[in-house]
């Protein structure tokens, strides 16, 4: 069924994503467990994320021009090969039996992953229009995005089962093998472009960087969609801090009840993918998805029982794909093809910056905002602009219908 509907190149990319997302999620879980086992320090956990995000954001901000001049398929598979090798650093560090070896291996791994992830995400996003038909872009974006969400739900459970039978550090070898298999899957994608790296100079790089950002800010529709997606990512950052205290303290839930709550969104996302395949793909359903997803946060403000919290989290998961997949497809369609890789990187930069801002907002001691009020605020941040653009879209459709009627009668 999948083979009949999508191209072989997309299927290879999709399989590569499934395998690598599982390997990455499993490795991420082990990172925290291994570091805490050796150091017993929460501070080192913060350092581990710091060395992941800071180099990543800096590189993403300055490397965007290079992405216009690379062979995307070749770069993607090479990144997976490098990631495969990088997961062996903490494994070797563990075998050294020293705290320095463990921390050093984890730091090297996080730096490599942090540098490569934004490049990989930008290139895979910009590759989709080359390996999918334009009318399939909403569905292919939905499938890839849903795969990532599902792996974040499935991988922890499978990893926990693996830990019953094999030592902690061996998971790194499994992650390494997963990325190697992903490389082999991506190697099946034929090159759709023959771009070669240009002769780079400081002047040329600066000129290209300026041109990319100027192009981005001169395309109001892409800017608007990126802004709206950024509000969603900001909300995700907030919930990363709030979800545990909300279930455990506000609602006096047990650990298993929080585990179900955390799984509701990815399960809902999978259902949302199915729903999206049955609905009309247009701006009305897109903005309804955004409004409904934002409203699911507002509903948590009023929740008094855990089953209702599960229900509203599931609802958010079902509705957000209606916006995410369609907005991604519009970006891919409307961005100039020759600059799509660069503009994808700029878009991703905005999305990645707002998530840490959400974490800072939720955890700052200077902002004494209750957990419930925080849910209300982030939901409002999403819903209000969503309603505005929904109304303007509706007015535009009504105007078009009136014009068509006038044309027919005349």
């Amino acid at each position: 069924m999948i083979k009949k509907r999508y191209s072989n190149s997309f299927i290879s990319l999709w399989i590569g994503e499934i395998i690598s997302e599982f390997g990455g999620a499993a490795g991420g879980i082990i990172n925290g467990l291994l570091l805490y086992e050796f150091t017993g320090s929460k501070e080192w956990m913060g350092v581990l994320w710091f060395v992941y995000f800071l180099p990543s954001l800096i590189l993403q901000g300055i490397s965007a021009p290079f992405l216009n001049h690379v062979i995307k398929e070749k770069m993607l598979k090479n990144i997976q090969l490098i990631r495969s090798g990088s997961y062996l650093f903490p494994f070797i560090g563990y075998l050294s039996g020293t705290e320095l070896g463990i921390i050093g291996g984890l730091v090297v791994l996080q730096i490599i992953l942090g540098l490569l992830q934004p490049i990989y995400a930008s290139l895979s996003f910009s590759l989709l229009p080359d390996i999918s038909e334009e009318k399939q872009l909403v569905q292919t974006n939905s499938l890839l995005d849903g795969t990532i969400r599902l792996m974040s739900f499935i991988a922890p459970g499978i990893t926990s089962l693996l830990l019953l039978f094999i030592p902690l550090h061996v998971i790194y070898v499994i992650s390494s093998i997963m990325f190697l298999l992903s490389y082999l899957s991506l190697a099946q994608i034929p090159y759709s472009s023959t771009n070669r790296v240009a002769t780079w100079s400081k002047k040329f790089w600066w000129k290209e960087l300026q041109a990319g950002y100027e192009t981005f800010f001169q395309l109001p529709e892409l800017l608007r969609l990126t802004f709206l997606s950024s509000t969603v990512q900001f909300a995700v950052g907030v919930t990363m801090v709030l979800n545990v205290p909300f279930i455990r303290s506000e609602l006096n839930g047990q650990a298993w009840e929080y585990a179900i709550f955390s799984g509701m969104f990815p399960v809902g996302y999978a259902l949302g993918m199915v729903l999206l395949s049955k609905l009309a793909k247009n701006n009305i359903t897109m903005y309804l998805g955004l409004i409904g997803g934002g409203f699911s946060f507002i509903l948590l403000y009023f929740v008094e029982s855990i089953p209702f919290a599960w229900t509203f989290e599931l609802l958010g998961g079902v509705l957000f794909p209606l916006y995410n997949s369609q907005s991604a497809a519009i970006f891919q369609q409307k961005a100039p093809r020759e600059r799509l890789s660069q503009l994808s990187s700029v878009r991703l930069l905005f999305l990645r910056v707002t998530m840490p801002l959400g974490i800072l907002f939720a955890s700052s001691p200077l902002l004494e905002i209750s957990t419930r009020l925080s849910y209300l605020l982030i939901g409002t941040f999403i819903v209000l602009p969503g309603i505005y653009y929904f109304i303007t879209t509706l007015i535009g459709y009504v105007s078009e219908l009136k014009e068509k009627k006038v044309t027919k009668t005349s």
Side-chain angles (χ1 to χ4, degrees), residues 397-410:
Y397 281 155
V398 171
S399 299
E400 284 181 17
L401 288 174
K402 286 181 178 179
E403 287 178 9
K404 287 178 180 178
K405 285 183 179 179
V406 170
T407 304
K408 284 182 180 180
T409 54
S410 61

Side-chain angles (χ1 to χ4, degrees), residues 19 28 98 147 149 164 262 346 386 393:
I19 298 169
T98 65
T147 296
R149 307 279 180 175
L164 296 175
S262 66
V346 175
T393 299

Side-chain angles (χ1 to χ4, degrees), residues 288-303:
L288 281 176
L290 181 67
I291 295 166
F295 193 62
S296 70
F297 289 123
I298 294 175
L299 289 172
L300 291 176
Y301 173 81
F302 301 99
V303 162

Side-chain angles (χ1 to χ4, degrees), residues 138-394:
V138 173
Q139 212 59 38
T140 51
N141 276 289
S142 174
L143 195 55
L144 285 177
D145 196 19
T147 296
I148 293 171
R149 307 279 180 175
L150 278 177
M151 285 302 104
S152 69
F153 173 67
I154 294 171
I158 295 178
T159 304
S160 299
L161 291 175
L162 289 174
L163 288 174
L164 296 175
F165 306 103
I166 59 177
L168 188 72
H169 62 284
V170 176
I171 300 293
Y172 284 115
V173 178
I174 294 175
S175 291
S176 177
I177 293 171
M178 289 292 182
F179 278 98
L180 182 59
L181 292 174
S182 178
Y183 161 82
L184 295 174
S185 180
L186 295 177
Q188 305 305 308
I189 305 175
Y191 295 168
S192 60
S193 62
T194 56
N195 292 358
R196 292 293 185 270
V197 176
T199 303
W200 288 97
S201 65
K202 185 177 179 181
K203 182 179 179 181
F204 180 70
W205 166 80
W206 178 245
K207 186 177 178 181
E208 282 286 290
L209 187 68
Q210 282 182 305
Y213 279 94
E214 285 174 3
T215 303
F216 183 81
F217 285 105
Q218 287 170 0
L219 297 169
E221 187 172 12
L222 303 192
L223 190 61
R224 178 176 74 245
L225 293 174
T226 302
F227 164 73
L228 293 174
S229 296
S230 295
T231 64
V232 176
Q233 290 303 111
F234 179 85
V236 170
V238 173
T239 59
M240 287 173 67
V241 177
L242 297 184
N243 282 351
V244 173
F246 178 65
I247 296 296
R248 299 285 275 144
S249 299
E250 287 279 337
L251 301 180
N252 298 313
Q254 302 298 315
W256 66 270
E257 290 173 310
Y258 168 71
I260 293 176
F261 179 79
S262 66
M264 284 294 101
F265 190 88
V267 170
Y269 215 93
L271 296 175
M273 290 164 48
V274 177
L275 177 63
L276 181 59
S277 67
K278 309 296 182 183
L279 295 176
K281 280 57 168 193
N282 55 44
N283 286 354
I284 289 179
T285 57
M286 181 176 74
Y287 288 124
L288 281 176
L290 181 67
I291 295 166
F295 193 62
S296 70
F297 289 123
I298 294 175
L299 289 172
L300 291 176
Y301 173 81
F302 301 99
V303 162
E304 295 295 340
S305 71
I306 289 176
F308 276 113
W310 293 342
T311 302
F312 296 148
E313 191 72 358
L314 181 72
L315 178 67
V318 170
L319 293 173
F320 269 125
L322 305 186
Y323 172 77
N324 290 341
S325 298
Q326 294 190 84
S327 65
I330 291 172
F331 193 101
Q332 290 160 336
Q333 292 164 349
K334 297 296 179 68
R337 186 60 62 89
E338 71 276 6
R339 287 199 176 274
L340 180 54
S341 296
Q342 182 180 10
L343 296 179
S344 300
S345 181
V346 175
R347 171 184 180 270
L348 184 60
L349 177 62
F350 280 98
L351 302 190
R352 297 184 77 231
V353 164
T354 47
M355 186 183 290
L357 290 177
I359 294 172
L360 185 63
F361 171 83
S363 58
S364 174
L366 301 177
L367 299 172
E368 296 183 2
I369 302 174
S370 69
T371 299
R372 289 181 181 273
L373 183 57
S374 296
Y375 282 127
L376 180 64
L377 288 174
I378 61 176
T380 304
F381 290 157
I382 295 171
V383 167
L384 288 182
I387 290 174
Y388 171 78
Y389 289 117
F390 174 76
I391 292 172
T392 56
T393 299
L394 208 56

